[in-house]
Amino acid sequence: MPETVAVTVSPPLGLRDPKRPVRGRDALLGRVEAGLSASGARFVQVLCGLGGSGKTTVALELVSRRLARAERVWWVDARQETTLEAGLRAVARQAGASEDELRSGDTVDLLWSCLARYEQPWLLVVDNADDPAVLDGPGKLSEGTGWIRLPAAGCGSVLVTTRDSTRQTWGGACVLHPVHPLTGEDVTDAARILCDHAGEAAGSWEDARNLAQRLGGLPLALRLAGTYLADANAVPTPYREPDTPVDFRSYQAALDRGIEHVDRDNVIAQTWAMSLKLLEKRGLPLARPLLQLIATFADAPLPYTLLLTPGTLADAGELAQLDGPGVWNLLTALAGLGLVDLQPTTGSNALPALRVHPLVRDASLDHAALSAAVQAVHSAAFAEETGIPEEPEYWEHWTLLQPHALDLFHRVASSEPPDPTIVNEAASAAYFAARHLHVKGLYGQARSEYEAILAHRRVIFGDTHPDTLTTRHELAGVLRDLGEVERARSEYEAVLAHRRVIFGDTHRDTLTTRHELAGVLRDLGEVERARSEYEAILAHERDVLGDTHRDILTTRHELAGVLCDLGEVERARGEFEAILAHRRVIFGDTHPDTLTTRHNLAGVLRDLGEVERARSEFEAVLAHRRVIFGDTHPDTLTTRHELARVLCDLGEVERARGEYEAVLAHERDVLGDTHPGTLITWHNLAGVLRDLGEVERARGEYEAILAHERDVLGDTHPRTLTTQSSLANLRQPRAAD
C-alpha cells in the first residue's frame, strides 16, 4: 500500500457537540460500554443500523468517555480500502511497529502483535465499515484473519460502525448492537433532538413530536430538520425565499409534498443511495427496483410472502425474472443494510411482514412502479392461499393486505389520466379489502370504500354490469348494518330487478339478493313477507345444492329467526339445533357462523324459560366472540346485550344495568345514537332503570328513544309501538323487551 496516502487516526471530536447531549441511547451506550470493558477476552463490538441512525454519534460518545479516562483511542475511516489500510498501518506504527517491520508484508499480523503488547488501555474504532469485505485484508473477517480481530485478553477493545447487520458476515468474534431510529417510546427523545437544533422559535412541543414521528425518528433527519429551521429563522423575513418552512408544522407540510422540498442538498437521499450502490457492487442490481416497488405500497406492514413472490412479480418488469430464492436474497440484503426491517412473526399462524422507514420510502418512491404494485396486490387478492375475507383463518392475511389494496386503489383512481385497466385491477382488490372491513365490524369505513368502488365501476362498466351490481349488493348490506334499513331495501330491490333480468330467478346471485332483501323486510317488521321469501329461496336452493350446503344452512337459519318472530318458538328451536349440529361438523365450534347459531339458539332457550341454560350459552358465545372479534365488534356487543337480558330474568338487575350501560356506550361510539341496535339497548336500559325505581330518568330515556324510532323506523314499526307502550305504562312494572 503506498505510503503517500495521508490519513489521520485521531477521533473526529469536532462532530460531537457537548452542548447537545446524545438522546435516547442510554441503554445502548450501557450495553456497548459493558462489552468494551468486559474482563478477559473482549468481543469486537459492532454498531449496526440504517444510514443516518446515529452510529457514529454513539461511537463518539463512547470515545469521549474513554479519553476522559486518559485511554488511547484510534479512529480509522473504513469507507475506502486505501484509507482503511493506511489508517491501520498508522495505528500499528503508533502502537510500536518500526518502518522496517511495516515493509515486511505481514502488516495485519504485525498490527495485532503490537496492539497485544501495548501497555496503555486502548480503543480502536473502525467507522463506516459499510462494506465489510474491505475488512478482510489478506485473510477473512469472519474467520478471524482479517484486518479486524478479537483483541488479546485484557489489552484493549475494538468498536466498528456499519450498515451491514448480517450476522454471518461478522463471524463469532463480533457482537452486533442494532442502532434503531428513535420511534415508539423513544419519540420524545427524537423530538428533543429536533428542539436542540431548531431552537424555541420553531413551534410547539406537540408539533415537534409530530414532525419527529414523520421523520421516523432518524437522527440524521432530525438534525438536518432542526438545523434547517434554525437557519431559516436566522434570516430576516424580507430576505427569505417564498414558502420557506420556518417551524415544525410547515416543515412537515413541505416534506409531505416531497422530500426534495426539504432535502435540497440531497443528503438524505444520498445516504441510502450509497447503500444501494453497495448492493449493486455485490452483484444485486435488482435491489434498487425491488426497494422502489416496496416504497410504492402503503405505509403499513407489508406481507411480503403474499405480495413479493415470483407469482405476484410476474408483471413487474425486470423483477419478473426473480425466482423465490432470488426474491429472498434481495430482501435479506436490503434488511442487512437497514433499508427494510423484516419483522419477526408473533405466532404459529402469523404472516411475516416488513416495514420501511418513512424517509427511505420518500427517497425511494418511483411512480413508475405503481402499476406493478397494483398488479401484485391484485394477484395476491385472488391467490388461493390468500383466501376470502369472510373466513377467520384468512383474516390475518386481509388485515395486512387491506391497507395496501385500498391505498393503491385511491391513488390510481385519482391519477390523471387514470388507466382503466390498472384502476379496475385496483378496484377488484379494494372490493375484497372492503369486505374485510365489513366482516370486522368497521361499517363506516366499509361503506366509504364500497361507495368509491361503485362510483368507479359505474363509470367503467355501467349500472347493470355484474361487478357493479355486486358492489351495490355489498353496499346495501353495510347500509343495513349501519341501520339505514330503508335505503338498504331500495338498493337490494334495484339490484334484484337487474339480476332477475340478467340471470333469471334461480341464479345463485339472484337468490343471494332475495335472501338479503328478506332480512331487510324482517328488520322493517314485514315478517310474513320475509317468511314467504325465505321459504321460496329455500325451495330453489334445495333443488340445486342439497340440505347441508352452506347457503341452505344460512337460509334455514334466517327462516328459523322469522319463526321466532311469529311465535313458533319450539319449531325454531328444532331448526336451530339441527343447523347447529351441521355447522359444528362443517365449520367447528368457534367459526362465526356456528357462534351465530349458538347465540340465536340461546335466545330461543330464554324465550322458552330455560334461562340458566341460555345464560351458559350466551357466556360461552361471548367468550369466543371476544377472542375472535374483540370487545367492541357489533356481534360481541349483541351477545353482551342478550346476556344482560338473561341477567334481568334471573334478578341480577344491577349487573344487567352495568352491562347495558357498557354496551350502549360502545354502540353509540361504533354505530351511532339512531342505529336500531343502539335503540334496542337504550330501550332495555330504560326498562332496568324503571325496575330499579328511577322512574323519571326512565321516562326521559323512553321519550328520547321514541323520538328517534319515529324518525328512523316510522310510527307503525313494532319497536316504535313497543316504546310507546312502555312509556304509557311506565308505572306498571314489567320485563323489558
Side-chain angles (χ1 to χ4, degrees):
M1 189 57 54
E3 292 294 325
T4 55
V5 177
V7 294
T8 176
V9 290
S10 297
L13 294 175
L15 297 177
R16 178 178 178 272
D17 186 350
K19 296 179 182 178
R20 295 190 176 107
V22 177
R23 298 193 183 276
R25 303 300 191 194
D26 291 347
L28 175 63
L29 287 165
R31 289 194 298 271
V32 180
E33 183 62 64
L36 294 172
S37 305
S39 58
R42 295 174 183 169
F43 290 96
V44 176
Q45 307 299 307
V46 180
L47 293 168
C48 53
L50 177 67
S53 60
K55 303 178 294 291
T56 298
T57 298
V58 172
L60 282 170
E61 183 64 22
L62 292 163
V63 164
S64 175
R65 296 179 183 183
R66 291 302 175 107
L67 292 174
R69 299 199 295 266
E71 295 185 17
R72 185 62 187 267
V73 177
W74 293 290
W75 186 287
V76 177
D77 189 332
R79 280 175 289 191
Q80 301 292 333
E81 189 173 0
T82 53
T83 54
L84 170 72
E85 183 169 347
L88 291 173
R89 289 169 65 86
V91 171
R93 186 181 297 109
Q94 294 181 19
S98 67
E99 292 299 330
D100 288 341
E101 289 174 318
L102 287 169
R103 286 192 290 268
S104 65
D106 58 350
T107 308
V108 180
D109 294 338
L110 174 65
L111 167 67
W112 290 99
S113 175
C114 291
L115 289 175
R117 297 193 303 269
Y118 199 75
E119 295 181 358
Q120 183 182 355
W122 55 267
L123 171 65
L124 171 62
V125 179
V126 180
D127 191 31
N128 290 315
D130 298 327
D131 183 3
V134 303
L135 302 181
D136 285 340
K140 194 164 182 63
L141 170 68
S142 60
E143 296 175 0
T145 59
W147 276 112
I148 300 303
R149 300 179 181 179
L150 193 67
C155 70
S157 307
V158 180
L159 177 65
V160 180
T161 73
T162 180
R163 301 181 187 204
D164 196 324
S165 60
T166 311
R167 292 192 176 276
Q168 57 266 35
T169 298
W170 296 96
C174 300
V175 176
L176 303 187
H177 299 276
V179 184
H180 299 294
L182 298 169
T183 56
E185 294 179 357
D186 295 325
V187 72
T188 297
D189 290 304
R192 289 195 179 108
I193 293 173
L194 264 179
C195 294
D196 287 343
H197 289 276
E200 296 180 358
S204 69
W205 173 249
E206 187 61 30
D207 288 345
R209 283 179 61 89
N210 290 338
L211 178 56
Q213 288 177 322
R214 176 63 179 84
L215 294 170
L218 191 74
L220 170 64
L222 297 168
R223 177 178 61 80
L224 289 174
T227 302
Y228 180 105
L229 293 173
D231 291 345
N233 282 299
V235 177
T237 303
Y239 303 116
R240 291 180 196 148
E241 291 185 12
D243 300 323
T244 298
V246 293
D247 55 29
F248 300 129
R249 186 172 297 183
S250 58
Y251 188 96
Q252 183 169 344
L255 176 59
D256 290 339
R257 293 196 301 272
I259 194 171
E260 67 278 3
H261 293 288
V262 292
D263 186 27
R264 293 174 182 172
D265 294 329
N266 218 26
V267 175
I268 296 174
Q270 286 179 358
T271 298
W272 298 307
M274 291 168 56
S275 296
L276 291 170
K277 287 179 182 177
L278 181 58
L279 292 178
E280 290 169 358
K281 180 181 175 183
R282 294 179 183 176
L284 298 171
L286 295 181
R288 186 184 300 273
L290 182 60
L291 182 61
Q292 290 170 336
L293 176 61
I294 290 169
T296 307
F297 291 104
D299 185 11
L302 185 75
Y304 54 86
T305 58
L306 292 180
L307 286 173
L308 302 177
T309 68
T312 59
L313 298 177
D315 296 314
E318 57 191 327
L319 297 175
Q321 64 188 277
L322 291 169
D323 58 10
V327 176
W328 181 242
N329 190 32
L330 289 177
L331 287 174
T332 54
L334 289 169
L337 295 184
L339 292 170
V340 302
D341 178 17
L342 299 179
Q343 299 178 327
T345 56
T346 56
S348 58
N349 297 320
L351 278 177
L354 65 80
R355 290 302 302 256
V356 185
H357 189 280
L359 295 184
V360 175
R361 179 184 307 281
D362 291 339
S364 305
L365 187 60
D366 182 359
H367 293 290
L370 192 58
S371 62
V374 169
Q375 289 162 346
V377 167
H378 181 268
S379 177
F382 284 88
E384 183 178 353
E385 59 269 21
T386 303
I388 62 173
E390 288 77 15
E391 287 300 323
E393 63 185 294
Y394 299 115
W395 283 353
E396 185 198 8
H397 295 189
W398 284 102
T399 296
L400 291 168
L401 279 176
Q402 166 245 311
H404 302 288
L406 296 176
D407 177 72
L408 288 168
F409 167 65
H410 289 294
R411 284 159 60 193
V412 298
S414 62
S415 61
E416 290 294 340
D419 181 327
T421 302
I422 294 299
V423 178
N424 189 45
E425 287 190 347
S428 297
Y431 165 75
F432 283 107
R435 281 168 53 184
H436 175 69
L437 292 173
H438 192 173
V439 77
K440 296 293 283 184
L442 302 172
Y443 300 148
Q445 293 178 47
R447 174 186 186 162
S448 296
E449 299 302 338
Y450 282 137
E451 288 175 339
I453 296 163
L454 180 59
H456 153 72
R457 285 181 163 172
R458 276 179 156 150
V459 170
I460 300 295
F461 300 127
D463 278 350
T464 60
H465 188 279
D467 287 355
T468 307
L469 296 176
T470 297
T471 310
R472 289 186 74 180
H473 175 94
E474 295 297 335
L475 175 59
V478 83
L479 291 171
R480 179 189 177 193
D481 288 335
L482 284 166
E484 298 184 31
V485 188
E486 283 290 358
R487 186 174 166 199
R489 176 180 187 161
S490 297
E491 281 295 297
Y492 279 134
E493 288 175 338
V495 172
L496 181 59
H498 288 305
R499 282 183 163 174
R500 277 179 157 148
V501 170
I502 297 168
F503 301 122
D505 277 353
T506 59
H507 188 278
R508 189 170 181 178
D509 288 355
T510 307
L511 293 177
T512 299
T513 303
R514 288 182 68 184
H515 179 281
E516 296 302 322
L517 178 57
V520 169
L521 294 173
R522 182 186 174 197
D523 293 343
L524 292 169
E526 300 180 33
V527 185
E528 283 291 356
R529 188 176 166 197
R531 177 179 186 163
S532 297
E533 276 296 288
Y534 281 132
E535 288 174 340
I537 294 163
L538 187 58
H540 287 304
E541 289 177 334
R542 278 183 163 146
D543 286 343
V544 178
L545 302 175
D547 277 350
T548 60
H549 187 277
R550 180 174 187 163
D551 289 355
I552 284 186
L553 293 177
T554 300
T555 305
R556 288 178 64 189
H557 184 277
E558 297 307 303
L559 182 55
V562 169
L563 294 175
C564 279
D565 296 342
L566 293 171
E568 300 179 34
V569 185
E570 281 291 356
R571 186 178 165 195
R573 175 182 185 162
E575 273 295 282
F576 280 135
E577 288 175 338
I579 294 162
L580 180 58
H582 287 307
R583 283 183 164 175
R584 277 181 156 147
V585 171
I586 297 168
F587 303 126
D589 277 352
T590 60
H591 188 278
D593 289 358
T594 308
L595 294 176
T596 297
T597 306
R598 289 184 71 183
H599 171 98
N600 288 337
L601 177 57
V604 169
L605 293 172
R606 173 184 179 262
D607 293 342
L608 290 170
E610 299 181 34
V611 186
E612 282 291 355
R613 187 176 164 199
R615 176 182 187 161
S616 297
E617 277 297 287
F618 280 131
E619 287 176 338
V621 172
L622 179 58
H624 288 306
R625 281 183 162 174
R626 276 179 156 148
V627 170
I628 295 168
F629 295 119
D631 279 349
T632 60
H633 189 282
D635 287 359
T636 308
L637 297 176
T638 298
T639 303
R640 288 185 72 181
H641 173 276
E642 293 305 309
L643 180 57
R645 294 182 69 194
V646 169
L647 293 173
C648 280
D649 294 342
L650 292 169
E652 300 181 34
V653 185
E654 279 291 356
R655 186 176 166 199
R657 174 184 185 162
E659 278 296 289
Y660 280 136
E661 288 175 338
V663 171
L664 182 59
H666 286 308
E667 286 180 335
R668 278 177 158 157
D669 185 49
V670 175
L671 304 173
D673 278 355
T674 60
H675 188 280
T678 307
L679 293 173
I680 290 171
T681 305
W682 196 358
H683 181 279
N684 287 344
L685 175 59
V688 168
L689 294 172
R690 177 201 60 213
D691 292 344
L692 289 170
E694 300 183 31
V695 179
E696 286 305 319
R697 183 177 168 196
R699 184 192 306 280
E701 298 295 337
Y702 280 134
E703 288 172 345
I705 295 162
L706 184 59
H708 286 307
E709 287 177 337
R710 280 175 165 158
D711 185 48
V712 175
L713 303 174
D715 285 345
T716 61
H717 190 279
R719 291 234 52 87
T720 309
L721 298 175
T722 298
T723 304
Q724 283 180 322
S725 177
S726 297
L727 187 57
N729 301 304
L730 185 60
R731 298 187 184 278
Q732 301 177 21
R734 66 176 186 82
D737 289 316

